[in-house]
Amino acid sequence: MSSLTVVLAITALRRNDIRRSRIWLLSTALLGAIFVGGQVYEFTAFYREGLGYTTNLFGTAFFTLTGFHGVHVTVGIIFLMSMYIQSMRGKLTSAQEERLEIIGLYWHFVDVVWIVIFTIVYLFPQ
Amino acid sequence: MTTIENKELEESWVKQDWVYIKTALILAFFTAIEVFTYFESVHKAPEWLLVTTLSFLMVVKFFLVAGVFMHLKDDNSVFTKMMTMGMCIAWPVYFIMAFALGFLPDWNVIIKVLFLFLPPGVAGFWLGFSFKGGDGGHH
């Protein structure tokens, strides 16, 4: 879903609809924050139930894969918020659309990586 | 810019937004199918069938995001070919490791070989035929 909101932010900026672009930017950052919050909850729950980073091979693979992904999402949220702040200061208009386009590509890349991680780590029968 | 040109531009933007929304809905539908396989009744299906279905959906979703949201479909086709080449290498490398480490069920060796090499093989054939040869001369 956040891939959709980020492209809508880009297209809104392209047509110089700054207000909508800000709304979609914030929505994307919020969806990312919900994802990271879910990860924090999940990591805490697993740790309390005895699955740590060094417990077994699965624990190491799980925390490394999903942890690195969480870090990338957090970096993406920082990028998005910096764009939002620039927009609020009037420094993000359709003339600077390329900046948001590049951040959008980063966000989509993080998204496609999650598509693979989600299937392999969470859904494949073990 | 004239009013008619403005209207046409606005219509093209709305059309583009709808393409994105429809893609997101398709992705949501595929994700719902994936999550549905987690239910116990479906989870009892043969493992090779589950893994193959989930892998197929994973690749389709991957290409949808890359093709539409990352506008790969509108870029030069060489980028699509480069990505497919990467996928052809990544697929067997990742799954050989997953089998070796015991992350995936220990299937019959024929199913394993088919699973590992059939998808990249098909994609490889497509790549091979999609490259347009020149007249054979050196430039």
Side-chain angles (χ1 to χ4, degrees), chain A residues 1-14:
Chain A
M1 268 314 129
S2 65
S3 269
L4 173 67
T5 53
V6 85
V7 285
L8 292 178
I10 294 165
T11 52
L13 186 65
R14 196 171 292 154

Side-chain angles (χ1 to χ4, degrees), chain A residues 10 79 97-108:
Chain A
I10 294 165
F79 284 156
E97 181 224 332
E98 205 171 47
R99 283 189 212 166
L100 191 56
E101 176 77 43
I102 291 164
I103 289 167
L105 283 173
Y106 172 85
W107 194 261
H108 297 313

